[in-house]
Amino acid sequence: TLIRLIMREELPTRGDIWVAGKHVSRMASWKVPHLRRSIGTVFQDFRLLPSKNVYENVAFAMEAAGRPEEEIVSDVPQVLEIVGLKDKEENFIEQLSGGEKQRVALARALVQRPEVILADEPTGNLDPIHTWEIVKLLLRINEFGTAIVLATHDKEIVNFLKRRVITLENGRIIRDEQKGKYQL
């Protein structure tokens, strides 16, 4: 629910939604695509293009945003280096492990230099080793100054991070703690 509200896929029944200084809940509909281009999104199911290789999947996000070719050629390799996939840029999606696919999805979100990355259960389909690789990568991206909104049901991740925890139940915030832990 929170991610759909931030992306303006839903409007709140009451209250306001602010994202990166923008009043999303009162934003004109024609401004919503611009908002979404300024937010990186990573999904549990990767949402990658199987007919494109790693480089092309990441470049596609920039192409769709109308970025110039010289910027794409410069930025895509840098981001693939950050996520540890520089040596896999020619590989197609079917040739990658689940953890590598999720790093491609993260690279695609990061290449736009968003102020916010929404990660919706990004470790849900991963084994424990790849899960912690993604968590560490999200922490590193956060250190660069990008806000990360992580939706997860993974108790170990929540307790390890000791960051702000917001719990929703039936679309309502029932808990908001600065250094929260997982609670039922």
Side-chain angles (χ1 to χ4, degrees):
T1 301
L2 181 62
I3 288 175
R4 287 193 306 271
L5 289 166
I6 291 170
M7 294 292 293
R8 180 84 190 289
E9 290 177 3
E10 288 187 25
L11 289 170
T13 51
R14 64 178 171 228
D16 294 304
I17 306 292
W18 289 81
V19 178
K22 297 174 183 88
H23 196 176
V24 176
S25 48
R26 297 217 176 138
M27 180 179 283
S29 295
W30 63 269
K31 290 184 179 181
V32 173
H34 181 70
L35 166 75
R36 291 180 182 159
R37 281 193 295 273
S38 70
I39 298 172
T41 311
V42 181
F43 299 98
Q44 179 177 350
D45 62 357
F46 319 123
R47 299 200 185 165
L48 300 173
L49 303 168
S51 63
K52 296 185 181 294
N53 64 29
V54 168
Y55 180 95
E56 293 165 338
N57 262 278
V58 177
F60 181 77
M62 296 183 77
E63 292 163 358
R67 299 284 178 82
E69 183 65 26
E70 57 272 4
E71 192 176 330
I72 294 169
V73 169
S74 167
D75 290 2
V76 172
Q78 289 176 17
V79 172
L80 289 175
E81 182 75 37
I82 289 168
V83 300
L85 290 175
K86 182 76 173 100
D87 61 333
K88 302 270 186 175
E89 66 181 19
E90 296 299 321
N91 288 53
F92 284 86
I93 301 310
E94 72 220 19
Q95 298 171 304
L96 303 176
S97 70
E100 289 168 334
K101 289 175 185 174
Q102 197 57 286
R103 286 188 280 154
V104 173
L106 211 53
R108 189 180 53 201
L110 186 59
V111 79
Q112 299 283 38
R113 295 187 177 117
E115 294 179 60
V116 179
I117 290 182
L118 305 176
D120 188 6
E121 294 282 357
T123 60
N125 288 328
L126 303 179
D127 61 57
I129 292 170
H130 289 111
T131 290
W132 290 106
E133 285 177 2
I134 295 300
V135 170
K136 289 175 189 172
L137 191 51
L138 288 168
L139 285 169
R140 192 165 153 222
I141 292 166
N142 182 243
E143 288 171 6
F144 293 147
T146 303
I148 307 290
V149 176
L150 172 63
T152 185
H153 291 92
D154 190 315
K155 178 181 178 179
E156 289 183 40
I157 293 172
V158 173
N159 292 341
F160 170 80
L161 292 174
K162 296 180 185 135
R163 301 283 177 105
R164 184 176 183 185
V165 174
I166 300 170
T167 305
L168 299 174
E169 188 174 283
N170 298 321
R172 295 190 182 320
I173 295 174
I174 60 167
R175 184 170 67 110
D176 185 350
E177 298 175 1
Q178 289 303 313
K179 291 190 177 189
K181 288 191 168 191
Y182 193 91
Q183 294 179 359
L184 292 176

